[in-house]
Amino acid sequence: MQDEPTPTELIKAVADFLRNEIAPEIKGHNAFKLRVGINALDLVTRQLALEGDSDGAEAARLKALLGVEGSLLELNRALSDKIASGEVGLQAPGVSEHLWQTTMDKLAVDQPNYASYKRELGTK
């Protein structure tokens, strides 16, 4: 294991370098492709920073809802199967709250500047 810089710091440094030093020099379609790459690096940085806490909280909510143990993937599949079969619906205690929080956690990584996401954060 390396001490420093961390993977998150390295990715952020590359994204900042590309954004501040390289992007102003690039034009046309290559500028678009560069922005896509920078956005991907920013997304990975947010995912590395946030996924541990959000994945742990999601797994805990699923375990409480389902009353079983398993990996996050297994628990999500179990809930999906129960919803698909009609065994569990949005009216079941905790389901809509779980789905809402999971969506908000995913938006924090994928689209933190999304206006509706920001509005919802402000209402909490």
Side-chain angles (χ1 to χ4, degrees), residues 1-2 5 8 13 30-31 41-42 46 48 52-53 65 67 78 85-86 95-96 103 113-115 117:
M1 172 169 45
Q2 300 299 316
T8 300
N30 284 336
L41 293 171
D42 289 341
R46 290 189 301 272
L48 288 170
D53 291 340
L65 282 172
S85 72
V95 172
S96 63
T103 300
N113 293 316
Y114 185 53
Y117 170 74

Side-chain angles (χ1 to χ4, degrees), residues 45-55 105 108-109 117:
T45 301
R46 290 189 301 272
Q47 187 169 4
L48 288 170
L50 300 174
E51 74 181 338
D53 291 340
S54 64
D55 284 358
D105 291 346
V109 171
Y117 170 74

Side-chain angles (χ1 to χ4, degrees), residues 24-43:
E25 306 296 321
I26 306 294
K27 303 289 182 233
H29 189 66
N30 284 336
F32 169 76
K33 291 191 291 188
L34 179 59
R35 285 193 308 275
V36 169
I38 292 167
N39 287 339
L41 293 171
D42 289 341
L43 188 143

Side-chain angles (χ1 to χ4, degrees), residues 2-124:
Q2 300 299 316
D3 294 324
E4 292 197 19
T6 67
T8 300
E9 292 169 336
L10 288 169
I11 294 168
K12 184 176 179 343
V14 170
D16 289 345
F17 170 75
L18 293 172
R19 183 180 0 265
N20 299 324
E21 302 297 326
I22 304 299
E25 306 296 321
I26 306 294
K27 303 289 182 233
H29 189 66
N30 284 336
F32 169 76
K33 291 191 291 188
L34 179 59
R35 285 193 308 275
V36 169
I38 292 167
N39 287 339
L41 293 171
D42 289 341
L43 188 143
V44 170
T45 301
R46 290 189 301 272
Q47 187 169 4
L48 288 170
L50 300 174
E51 74 181 338
D53 291 340
S54 64
D55 284 358
E58 181 180 0
R61 288 192 307 271
L62 285 165
K63 288 174 186 176
L65 282 172
L66 299 168
V68 297
E69 294 290 321
S71 70
L72 184 56
L73 180 62
E74 292 165 338
L75 293 167
N76 270 308
R77 282 187 179 150
L79 180 61
S80 296
D81 290 346
K82 288 181 180 291
I83 291 171
S85 72
E87 185 179 341
V88 170
L90 288 176
Q91 296 75 22
V95 172
S96 63
E97 294 84 359
H98 164 71
L99 296 173
W100 183 255
Q101 187 59 54
T102 300
T103 300
M104 292 298 287
D105 291 346
K106 289 181 184 299
L107 285 171
V109 171
D110 189 51
Q111 295 293 324
N113 293 316
Y114 185 53
S116 295
Y117 170 74
K118 286 183 168 183
R119 183 183 66 237
E120 287 302 314
L121 286 179
T123 64
K124 300 285 180 200

